[in-house]
């Protein structure tokens, strides 16, 4: 299963970006899709995650500013990021916890997309 992330870029503080991530391959179902980020010199951290039923979790640092959503039929997840600050600068990775076509549970990661918040 491959995850293709897109939507990163350079944005000014206070601006917005929308990340998207599409999963493809032999997929029976995807339980959880999520976004993680890794800033320079820091460990990768969870930003937001969403289950197939629509339940969401957010890191405290992004609550009220970021919104995660997904389309189960399209195996796609989005991350709407508003009121961005320089502290949001990082490489953002999407992630999927899924059942393959042979009903094996696995986890895949996307390639990462860089978000830079700077004036």
């Amino acid at each position: 299963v491959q995850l293709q992330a897109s939507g990163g870029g350079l944005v000014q503080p206070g601006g917005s970006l929308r990340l998207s991530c599409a999963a493809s391959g032999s997929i029976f179902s995807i339980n959880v899709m999520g976004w993680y980020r890794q800033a320079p010199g820091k460990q990768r951290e969870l930003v937001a995650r969403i289950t197939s039923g629509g339940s969401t979790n957010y890191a405290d640092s992004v609550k009220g500013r970021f919104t995660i959503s997904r389309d189960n039929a399209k195996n796609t997840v989005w991350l709407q990021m508003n009121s961005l600050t320089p502290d949001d600068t990082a490489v953002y990775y999407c992630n999927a916890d899924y059942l393959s076509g042979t009903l094996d549970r696995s986890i895949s990661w996307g390639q990462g997309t860089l978000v830079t918040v700077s004036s």
Side-chain angles (χ1 to χ4, degrees):
V1 171
Q2 295 80 41
L3 299 179
Q4 182 66 45
S6 61
L10 173 64
V11 62
Q12 293 186 341
S16 298
L17 279 177
R18 189 187 195 212
L19 307 182
S20 65
C21 177
S24 62
S26 179
I27 301 170
F28 178 78
S29 65
I30 302 178
N31 180 27
V32 181
M33 300 189 82
W35 288 95
Y36 291 71
R37 67 185 180 186
Q38 187 167 18
K42 296 186 177 181
Q43 290 187 333
R44 189 174 298 189
E45 63 176 0
L46 174 68
V47 176
R49 59 198 294 269
I50 183 169
T51 70
S52 57
S55 296
T56 58
N57 295 99
Y58 294 92
D60 288 343
S61 59
V62 307
K63 284 181 181 177
R65 300 188 299 122
F66 291 11
T67 302
I68 190 170
S69 59
R70 67 186 279 182
D71 183 326
N72 292 331
K74 296 181 179 179
N75 291 328
T76 299
V77 63
W78 296 273
L79 185 68
Q80 178 66 43
M81 305 185 294
N82 298 329
S83 302
L84 286 160
T85 75
D87 287 341
D88 296 314
T89 295
V91 177
Y92 284 70
Y93 299 90
C94 60
N95 161 286
D97 180 345
Y98 66 95
L99 289 178
S100 70
T102 55
L103 302 183
D104 296 313
R105 184 181 179 185
S106 189
I107 295 175
S108 284
W109 291 87
Q111 83 283 9
T113 185
L114 177 62
V115 172
T116 303
V117 185
S118 175
S119 55

